[in-house]
Amino acid sequence: MDLNEAYELVLQKLSIWTHDFIRILPNILLASVILVLGLFVARRVRKFSQKLAIKISKNITLNNLVASVIYLTFVGISIFIVLSILHLDKAVTTILAGAGIIGLALAFAFQDIAANFISGIFISFRHPIHIGDIVKIGDYMGKVSDINLRDTILLTFQGQMVIIPNKNVFQNPIENYSLLGKRRLDLEIGISYAEDLEKVQRITLEAVKNIDGLCDDEKTTMYYKEFGDSSINYTIRLWLKNPEQTAYWQASNQAIIKIKNAYNQNDITIPFPIRTLDFGIKGGSSLTDQKLKISER
């Protein structure tokens, strides 16, 4: 091929391309207008969705995520309309089909991350816990320090930070001690079999009635529950206004001191564990009848 033939071939190609460009120029202009309008509408919808999400959830991360998903959805719709006008939608559909297969494989590979992410979204909308709540999740109890879309962070009463995946938070029972705005303190105590039970009950309830932080709308109760090995055991239940752990410990400390002092003043005995060894059972002999044998070696 000589230089003239090559030159004519290039001109021919340029002429064809120019003719095709002029033919589709109206479509390009229309597609450009639709793309600009689509981006404008997507931005306005994102701002509106952010304002609406704030009224539903206080989780800023989740609100931004929802707004971004809505924004990208509108942008994607605009792009598909533009590609359809330019007759490129079939090629893009083929590419997306391949991307869908890759996405499915990635979903299986990162299913735990996806489960935690989705659980975080449900937690943000349902609000079973809030930052600052005292909760028990599984084997961990503490104050909620942070809630994000992947995990929940607890500060335990021993001072450790525990990071719990949101899947475990969402799928397991949650004991929320802050939800009611009050908390119950249960004390297990035993008294001697020789005591007058009605007298003990009266003195015990009188001793704890002035503990700081008791609820005015909840009654302190005391119930005998069992005959123990060396004591008659009871449970006394006190309701506290403040569910915080410090208030719980302080109330428990006051209750124990007041009950012990009241028992000392009224000669009420909290017995030690007792074991009775009976050597006089049928077929045996008493301890006093046993001869002590000492062997020398």
Side-chain angles (χ1 to χ4, degrees), residues 279-280 285-291:
F279 289 88
S285 58
S286 64
L287 182 61
T288 56
D289 295 334
Q290 299 297 319
K291 292 182 180 181

Side-chain angles (χ1 to χ4, degrees), residues 12 32 49 51 56 66 68 84 98 120 125 133-134 195 208 230 234 239 258 273 290:
Q12 184 180 3
S32 301
S49 60
K51 294 179 180 179
I56 301 175
V66 173
S68 298
S84 178
F125 278 107
D133 283 356
I134 295 176
E195 302 298 340
V208 299
S230 57
Y234 69 84
W239 285 91
K258 287 179 178 291
Q290 299 297 319

Side-chain angles (χ1 to χ4, degrees), residues 7-291:
Y7 178 73
E8 290 178 359
L9 181 60
V10 171
L11 288 179
Q12 184 180 3
K13 290 293 184 180
L14 289 175
S15 176
I16 294 174
W17 291 344
T18 303
H19 179 268
D20 291 340
F21 176 77
I22 294 174
R23 182 174 57 83
I24 66 171
L25 184 60
N27 290 352
I28 294 176
L29 294 176
L30 178 60
S32 301
V33 172
I34 291 177
L35 181 61
V36 172
L37 289 176
L39 294 176
F40 175 77
V41 172
R43 291 193 185 97
R44 296 300 299 268
V45 171
R46 179 171 61 180
K47 292 181 180 179
F48 176 78
S49 60
Q50 284 178 329
K51 294 179 180 179
L52 184 62
I54 291 175
K55 298 179 180 179
I56 301 175
S57 172
K58 300 300 181 182
N59 191 318
I60 298 177
T61 304
L62 177 62
N63 296 342
N64 292 335
L65 173 66
V66 173
S68 298
V69 169
I70 295 174
Y71 172 76
L72 292 176
T73 300
F74 274 85
V75 171
I77 293 172
S78 302
I79 291 175
F80 270 102
I81 294 174
V82 168
L83 294 175
S84 178
I85 293 174
L86 297 176
H87 304 290
L88 297 175
D89 49 333
K90 293 182 180 180
V92 175
T93 302
T94 303
I95 295 174
L96 289 179
I101 297 174
I102 296 175
L104 184 61
L106 292 175
F108 278 107
F110 298 100
Q111 57 182 334
D112 286 341
I113 296 177
N116 290 326
F117 184 79
I118 295 173
S119 297
I121 294 176
F122 279 110
I123 290 172
S124 298
F125 278 107
R126 290 186 59 188
H127 303 298
I129 56 177
H130 303 81
I131 294 177
D133 283 356
I134 295 176
V135 299
K136 184 177 181 181
I137 303 173
D139 296 330
Y140 301 102
M141 181 176 180
K143 180 176 287 190
V144 179
S145 175
D146 189 22
I147 304 172
N148 53 57
L149 292 179
R150 183 186 177 277
D151 47 51
T152 297
I153 301 176
L154 291 186
L155 176 62
T156 68
F157 302 129
Q158 290 73 37
Q160 287 84 26
M161 301 292 293
V162 180
I163 301 175
I164 305 176
N166 281 334
K167 180 178 68 173
N168 296 340
V169 177
F170 188 72
Q171 293 179 349
N172 290 313
I174 301 173
E175 296 183 45
N176 193 328
Y177 294 89
S178 301
L179 194 60
L180 296 178
K182 56 186 176 182
R183 187 174 176 184
R184 197 179 76 186
L185 166 64
D186 292 359
L187 289 178
E188 308 286 338
I189 306 174
I191 50 98
S192 171
Y193 274 90
E195 302 298 340
D196 182 338
L197 299 185
E198 293 180 349
K199 174 185 175 183
V200 171
Q201 188 174 38
R202 183 176 65 255
I203 291 173
T204 304
L205 293 175
E206 182 68 22
V208 299
K209 70 177 184 179
N210 293 323
I211 289 178
D212 297 334
L214 293 182
C215 287
D216 298 328
D217 58 341
E218 295 287 352
K219 184 179 179 181
T220 299
T221 57
M222 173 182 167
Y223 300 100
Y224 292 104
K225 65 176 189 176
E226 64 182 358
F227 293 97
D229 293 336
S230 57
S231 63
I232 296 178
N233 301 323
Y234 69 84
T235 300
I236 184 168
R237 297 173 176 174
L238 306 96
W239 285 91
L240 310 178
K241 296 178 181 178
N242 188 352
E244 291 290 334
Q245 189 68 17
T246 302
Y248 182 87
W249 284 332
Q250 289 175 348
S252 177
N253 180 70
Q254 289 186 55
I256 292 173
I257 292 175
K258 287 179 178 291
I259 291 174
K260 182 62 169 60
N261 290 338
Y263 286 3
N264 290 341
Q265 294 171 7
N266 292 274
D267 297 324
I268 298 174
T269 303
I270 299 177
F272 295 100
I274 298 173
R275 293 291 182 269
T276 301
L277 303 178
D278 190 351
F279 289 88
I281 61 174
K282 184 177 181 180
S285 58
S286 64
L287 182 61
T288 56
D289 295 334
Q290 299 297 319
K291 292 182 180 181

